[in-house]
């Protein structure tokens, strides 16, 4: 016991200072994509051809759907003119799926809940996590938020075992057919008013499984979604930023 206490004393304070201080991100972190369509040549389609999820499209100008993007960075590496690049901006969450469609450098971040929902959930939010066919990557980055490094509970946010004890759902995975009924029943078991948060490209659009006959291309075809957090998987700080932005804890 004494050894354990001494070890903890030597470790000192290990919780990150976010959101009061900027987070330390990995050197190879790929954040919000930035588009510079004026640099595109009319006949170049290399970024579209290499995108594994068709997140990059080109009609009048190049667009990038962050809800489908796997953040592999292949489009930026292939672009000969630098029309696409990935910044280190970890603030990716959006309130509407349409806001995830990038057309240039501007991006509309997630909005705070309305006054009544903020009063109800602003200081205490209990979430039931639903892994709807996920590969465990988004699940791992969500679960790590409960460790001492991120200490999610200091913001009054906790994961609970039963949907009847929850204020909302946090959904990962593309929602395969065999999870559809389970997701519907879990959603119905959460007392109103309730929130739904889709984490990861699979939960938003189906990700690499989009269009497959056995998946439902994300959660919002089954239940209404209030917050979209893109990534494959999103960094824990990106998830935390989205949750705090939804609750109005950061601007």
């Amino acid at each position: 016991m004494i050894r354990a206490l001494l070890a903890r004393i030597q470790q000192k304070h290990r919780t990150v200072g976010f959101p009061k201080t900027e987070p330390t991100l990995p050197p190879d972190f790929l954040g919000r994509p930035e588009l510079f369509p004026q640099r595109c040549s009319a006949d170049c389609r290399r970024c579209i051809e290499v995108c594994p999820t068709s997140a990059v499209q080109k009609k009048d100008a190049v667009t990038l759907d962050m809800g489908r993007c796997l953040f592999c960075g292949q489009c930026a590496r292939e672009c000969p003119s630098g029309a696409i690049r990935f910044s280190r901006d970890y603030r990716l969450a959006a309130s509407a799926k349409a806001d995830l469609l990038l057309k240039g450098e501007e991006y509309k971040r997630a909005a705070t809940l309305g006054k009544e929902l903020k009063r109800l959930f602003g200081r205490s939010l209990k979430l039931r996590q639903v892994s709807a066919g996920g590969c465990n990557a988004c699940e791992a980055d969500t679960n790590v938020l409960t460790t001492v490094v991120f200490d999610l509970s200091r913001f009054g946010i906790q994961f609970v075992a039963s949907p009847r004890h929850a204020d909302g759902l946090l959904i990962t995975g593309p929602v395969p057919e065999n999870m559809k009924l389970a997701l519907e029943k879990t959603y119905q078991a959460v007392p109103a008013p309730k929130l739904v948060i889709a984490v990861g490209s699979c939960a938003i659009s189906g990700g690499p499984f989009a269009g497959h006959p056995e998946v439902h291309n994300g959660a919002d075809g089954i239940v209404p979604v209030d917050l979209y957090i893109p990534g494959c998987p999103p960094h824990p700080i990106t998830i935390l930023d989205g949750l705090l932005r939804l609750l109005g804890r950061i601007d």
Side-chain angles (χ1 to χ4, degrees), residues 82-197:
I84 300 178
R85 72 181 183 191
F86 284 78
S87 70
R88 292 182 59 79
D89 189 356
Y90 54 87
R91 299 165 295 181
L92 306 179
S95 300
K97 201 170 185 177
D99 293 338
L100 297 173
L101 184 64
L102 300 179
K103 299 178 181 177
E105 299 178 61
E106 296 183 359
Y107 177 54
K108 185 178 180 181
R109 297 193 179 96
T112 302
L113 291 170
K115 187 176 180 181
E116 180 61 15
L117 288 177
K118 185 180 176 182
R119 184 185 69 81
L120 291 172
F121 303 136
R123 293 186 178 183
S124 176
L125 178 66
K126 312 297 183 187
L127 295 172
R128 175 71 171 97
Q129 184 181 357
V130 179
S131 178
C135 68
N136 285 340
C138 291
E139 290 84 347
D141 274 3
T142 300
N143 293 342
V144 80
L145 290 174
T146 62
T147 65
V148 68
V149 176
F150 299 97
D151 193 11
L152 186 65
S153 60
R154 65 189 155 128
F155 302 107
I157 307 172
Q158 293 179 317
F159 291 105
V160 295
S162 169
R164 298 191 187 282
H165 301 160
D167 302 310
L169 302 180
L170 188 147
I171 303 171
T172 55
V175 193
E177 175 61 25
N178 61 0
M179 278 297 295
K180 178 175 180 286
L181 181 60
L183 177 58
E184 290 174 337
K185 287 188 173 182
T186 307
Y187 177 77
Q188 293 166 2
V190 178
K194 47 194 163 187
L195 304 175
V196 176
I197 300 162

Side-chain angles (χ1 to χ4, degrees), residues 13-46:
H13 187 70
R14 300 176 65 184
T15 305
V16 297
F18 183 81
K20 291 183 178 178
T21 60
E22 284 294 305
T24 301
L25 299 169
D28 56 352
F29 174 80
L30 296 182
R32 180 173 57 84
E34 294 177 335
L35 305 183
F36 304 93
Q38 68 276 11
R39 299 179 185 176
C40 281
S41 57
D43 56 346
C44 180
R45 297 179 59 85
R46 292 171 67 173

